[in-house]
Amino acid sequence: MIFKLCYTALIKNKGDSMSETIDVLDIDINNVTAKEAIKGIISFMNQDSISIVDFISTESLIALEEQAEIKEEMKNFDLILPSDKGILLAAKVADQKILEATQKKVLVKAILKVLHRNKCKMFLLVDSLEHGTWFSEMVSRDYCGIDLVETAKVVKDNRADDMLVNAINGEEIDVVVSLLESPLQEDFIIKNKNVLNIKLFLGLGNEISEVEQNNSIGTRMGRFLKQTILKKEIQKRRSLM
């Protein structure tokens, strides 16, 4: 599939802006603007090999803290984006354009708009049927050009990866979207990237639907507390350097 939106191709991880990263708790988060992120994704979709784009939230960073092997494998991901501004603020990033790129809701909509315009075939991975229903309804309502072929629930302790891979490859899918929690999301694509015949794995994480559906005071307070924990951990790491 040749994407209709024409941007200058970005070579993955070879001397361009996509290779500039910020180390946050041993995860290399790409230091890019929203425009650069979209350009990169369009470029990835025009290549023959699978590309991996992963959104990292405060919750993800905490969940991945003890996952050294997974974090090492994540160095091979094509693009890792922060889900919230708090991650970059905790890492003392001041560039306003970079901070604007953390508006995940806006960036995800831009990505889905690109997939919609190019009539992509999508396969959805979820850890709860509620999340799957929410996302499916959003796609059918706002991005009807996307063909959401199937939604599959991934059970942490009984993943049945072979069945999922066969289902995805059998439908000639362009994009697999994951609404899985970390480290399940990252572990799934690390173990199956070499056998999936797709253009893009887009890891959105399971907190995206929770933010959309539940923005109560309690939820916001929970996010604030997690960001405080993250900031203290980053400061602790720096003091040991």
Side-chain angles (χ1 to χ4, degrees):
M1 176 183 292
I2 304 299
F3 264 46
K4 300 172 186 175
L5 297 182
C6 296
Y7 286 104
T8 302
L10 297 175
I11 301 173
K12 295 185 284 185
N13 300 322
K14 292 184 180 179
D16 57 289
S17 62
M18 303 295 276
S19 64
E20 297 177 5
T21 60
I22 304 164
D23 185 327
V24 182
L25 301 185
D26 301 323
I27 294 178
D28 294 329
I29 296 178
N30 289 89
N31 189 21
V32 296
T33 65
K35 184 177 181 180
E36 288 169 340
I38 294 297
K39 284 183 178 181
I41 290 169
I42 291 172
S43 176
F44 299 159
M45 293 295 293
N46 281 318
Q47 298 181 23
D48 293 331
S49 59
I50 182 175
S51 295
I52 302 171
V53 176
D54 199 28
F55 278 87
I56 292 294
S57 65
T58 301
E59 291 86 348
S60 300
L61 287 168
I62 294 172
L64 289 164
E65 177 61 8
E66 303 298 327
Q67 302 291 329
E69 291 185 7
I70 290 179
K71 287 196 284 188
E72 184 62 29
E73 288 288 341
M74 288 173 68
K75 295 182 185 298
N76 297 317
F77 286 9
D78 299 276
L79 192 58
I80 298 179
L81 299 170
S83 286
D84 55 73
K85 191 180 296 185
I87 293 174
L88 297 183
L89 290 175
K92 295 188 176 181
V93 173
D95 189 317
Q96 192 59 38
K97 288 186 178 180
I98 302 299
L99 292 174
E100 288 174 358
T102 63
Q103 296 180 11
K104 180 176 180 180
K105 181 178 178 181
V106 175
L107 186 52
V108 169
K109 286 183 177 180
I111 295 171
L112 291 176
K113 189 175 292 185
V114 170
L115 302 180
H116 157 75
R117 289 174 178 170
N118 290 276
K119 302 184 184 305
C120 289
K121 295 181 70 174
M122 179 185 291
F123 196 103
L124 182 63
L125 302 178
V126 299
D127 53 18
S128 81
L129 296 178
E130 181 183 0
H131 289 177
T133 299
W134 167 82
F135 191 87
S136 299
E137 290 176 350
M138 180 189 67
V139 167
S140 63
R141 181 183 67 244
D142 301 329
Y143 309 97
C144 57
I146 296 174
D147 180 10
L148 181 48
V149 176
E150 187 175 340
T151 298
K153 183 177 179 180
V154 181
V155 180
K156 183 178 181 180
D157 297 323
N158 185 23
R159 285 201 340 219
D161 284 13
D162 289 346
M163 293 179 63
L164 288 170
V165 169
N166 289 336
I168 292 168
N169 289 343
E171 295 288 350
E172 297 183 350
I173 298 297
D174 299 304
V175 182
V176 170
V177 171
S178 165
L179 301 185
L180 304 176
E181 65 180 353
S182 294
L184 177 59
Q185 176 166 276
E186 291 77 19
D187 186 62
F188 176 85
I189 189 55
I190 287 168
K191 290 183 177 176
N192 295 293
K193 62 183 179 180
N194 293 328
V195 292
L196 282 170
N197 297 324
I198 61 175
K199 293 289 187 179
L200 179 68
F201 180 89
L202 182 60
L204 299 183
N206 71 341
E207 83 282 348
I208 182 174
S209 56
E210 293 172 0
V211 171
E212 289 283 343
Q213 297 179 85
N214 182 8
N215 200 31
S216 65
I217 294 176
T219 300
R220 294 197 300 271
M221 181 60 72
R223 292 200 297 270
F224 174 78
L225 290 174
K226 289 174 183 176
Q227 288 172 2
T228 301
I229 293 171
L230 173 63
K231 186 175 182 178
K232 288 182 177 179
E233 184 60 32
I234 290 174
Q235 291 173 340
K236 177 182 175 182
R237 293 282 187 92
R238 283 178 176 157
S239 68
L240 296 174
M241 293 177 64

